[in-house]
Amino acid sequence: MYDCIIIGCGPAGMTAALYLLRAGKTVLLLEKESIGGQIAKSPRLENYPSIKTISGSDWSDHLFDQITDLGAEFELEDVQSVVKDVDMFRVKTDFNLYDAKTVIIATGCNHRHLGIAREEELTGHGISYCATCDGAFFADQDVLLIGDANTALQYAISLSETSKSVFVATLFDKFFADPILVERMKKIPNITYRHNLSTKEFLGDKDLTGVIFEDTKTGEEVTIPCAGCFICVGQEPHNEPFKDIVELDERGFIVVDKKQGTGVLGLFAAGDCTQKTVRQVITATCDGAVAAVEATNYLNR
């Protein structure tokens, strides 16, 4: 019986573990892939306070070492379900069954990928999924943004402030963002756009140099040279195993209150798997800290 089982070993989950362990609680972290979550794949993390620059994997490793030194247990297992039984929780994985007094879901989410050849290879070498995280690396350079909704256009507007030019490519024949955002983007002189473009190929040897598209109406091949390509076509949370115990919004994110509570006593959620507007490392760690403090208060009561 653990005081808390944390599902997910990214920034939110590991921060929650840190706070719980310092409060003298027993903690088991369950992770189906690898420690660190999305940030572990980032070659540079430069917007985390007090750290000028560090690789995402190094940052994750430091935090993992910190919590394991404090006594955190860790298992590489895929959680299948969480069930509440009176005043405890039963967590089923693909290998075992665990019991805990509290649970924190911190499974994160993935940026939706295009599934184009060399996309994974060039991620971190010109391809990015977060303009807030990586836009500054392409200051005074030509960049490309693939996407058509609110976040995509917000990224384009943000990138226009530091990049030489921003080209926005959409798959369909219109934008799906709020009209006021579309009009704002159209007024910015260094942003251009084109509809009906299907991504076909990424160019470049070690680093991205451009992207080849096909016009879905004319069949024309369109090549856009760029130093950076930001892909913004949605995010996918990992909350399917919890659909029977927590409330999910229309996109599959967990609905939580200001204390990271799910509405089920003793069950909390933190980080990118939850319904929120800003998904950054620092907001995930904040969520994890809040969830852990509330879980500790619940345990103490």
Side-chain angles (χ1 to χ4, degrees):
M1 172 71 73
Y2 293 91
D3 287 324
C4 186
I5 288 178
I6 299 172
I7 305 168
C9 198
M14 287 195 284
T15 301
L18 175 63
Y19 275 71
L20 282 156
L21 291 161
R22 287 175 58 85
K25 309 305 181 185
T26 56
V27 175
L28 169 66
L29 290 105
L30 299 172
E31 169 60 54
K32 70 175 182 178
E33 293 178 356
S34 58
I35 65 168
Q38 290 185 61
I39 194 59
K41 301 175 184 177
S42 177
R44 286 179 291 179
L45 173 60
E46 294 187 346
N47 61 355
Y48 196 84
S50 81
I51 302 175
K52 289 184 178 180
T53 184
I54 189 173
S55 72
S57 60
D58 282 346
W59 184 88
S60 301
D61 287 345
H62 291 328
L63 184 50
F64 186 73
D65 288 344
Q66 187 177 10
I67 61 174
T68 51
D69 284 349
L70 287 171
E73 296 184 34
F74 173 79
E75 294 293 344
L76 202 60
E77 298 179 20
D78 186 11
V79 172
Q80 308 290 314
S81 65
V82 176
V83 176
K84 187 168 187 180
D85 184 3
V86 190
D87 59 351
M88 60 167 278
F89 293 89
R90 188 145 287 166
V91 180
K92 181 182 178 183
T93 75
D94 48 355
F95 292 110
N96 291 296
L97 195 62
Y98 299 100
D99 292 335
K101 298 172 186 176
T102 63
V103 169
I104 297 175
I105 302 170
T107 48
C109 69
N110 283 336
H111 293 286
R112 188 171 288 119
H113 291 200
L114 296 174
I116 305 298
R118 303 190 65 220
E119 183 175 359
E120 301 296 329
E121 176 188 345
L122 290 171
T123 295
H125 299 277
I127 292 178
S128 172
Y129 300 87
C130 179
T132 306
C133 313
D134 302 330
F137 300 138
F138 300 95
D140 301 318
Q141 300 182 73
D142 298 313
V143 299
L144 165 68
L145 188 138
I146 300 173
D148 55 27
N150 282 338
T151 301
L153 269 60
Q154 288 166 349
Y155 277 178
I157 293 167
S158 174
L159 288 165
S160 72
E161 297 174 358
T162 54
S163 299
K164 180 180 178 182
S165 70
V166 181
F167 185 94
V168 180
T170 77
L171 177 60
F172 300 103
D173 61 357
K174 63 179 180 179
F175 291 109
F176 293 91
D178 295 336
I180 191 170
L181 201 57
V182 175
E183 291 308 309
R184 182 182 170 196
M185 184 206 71
K186 288 181 177 179
K187 292 178 181 178
I188 298 175
N190 65 334
I191 297 180
T192 56
Y193 65 90
R194 181 165 171 173
H195 297 308
N196 304 307
L197 293 181
S198 176
T199 313
K200 293 300 178 185
E201 185 179 349
F202 292 111
L203 303 174
D205 184 11
K206 293 183 178 179
D207 295 299
L208 182 76
T209 58
V211 181
I212 297 177
F213 296 92
E214 178 185 335
D215 188 303
T216 58
K217 293 204 168 183
T218 66
E220 172 193 2
E221 184 175 277
V222 179
T223 301
I224 306 297
C226 61
C229 174
F230 294 87
I231 299 171
C232 187
V233 292
Q235 294 178 314
E236 299 173 320
H238 310 298
N239 295 327
E240 184 68 19
F242 320 116
K243 64 181 181 180
D244 294 329
I245 193 170
V246 299
E247 179 186 353
L248 303 180
D249 68 10
E250 66 280 359
R251 296 183 300 159
F253 292 96
I254 300 173
V255 178
V256 293
D257 59 27
K258 292 181 180 180
K259 296 182 178 181
Q260 304 304 134
T262 63
V264 177
L265 289 176
L267 178 61
F268 305 87
D272 287 1
C273 66
T274 66
Q275 188 183 56
K276 58 191 300 182
T277 56
V278 179
R279 290 184 169 86
Q280 294 284 288
V281 173
I282 195 165
T283 62
T285 57
C286 177
D287 290 351
V290 173
V293 169
E294 293 303 321
T296 299
N297 291 340
Y298 174 85
L299 289 164
N300 290 342
R301 288 194 300 268

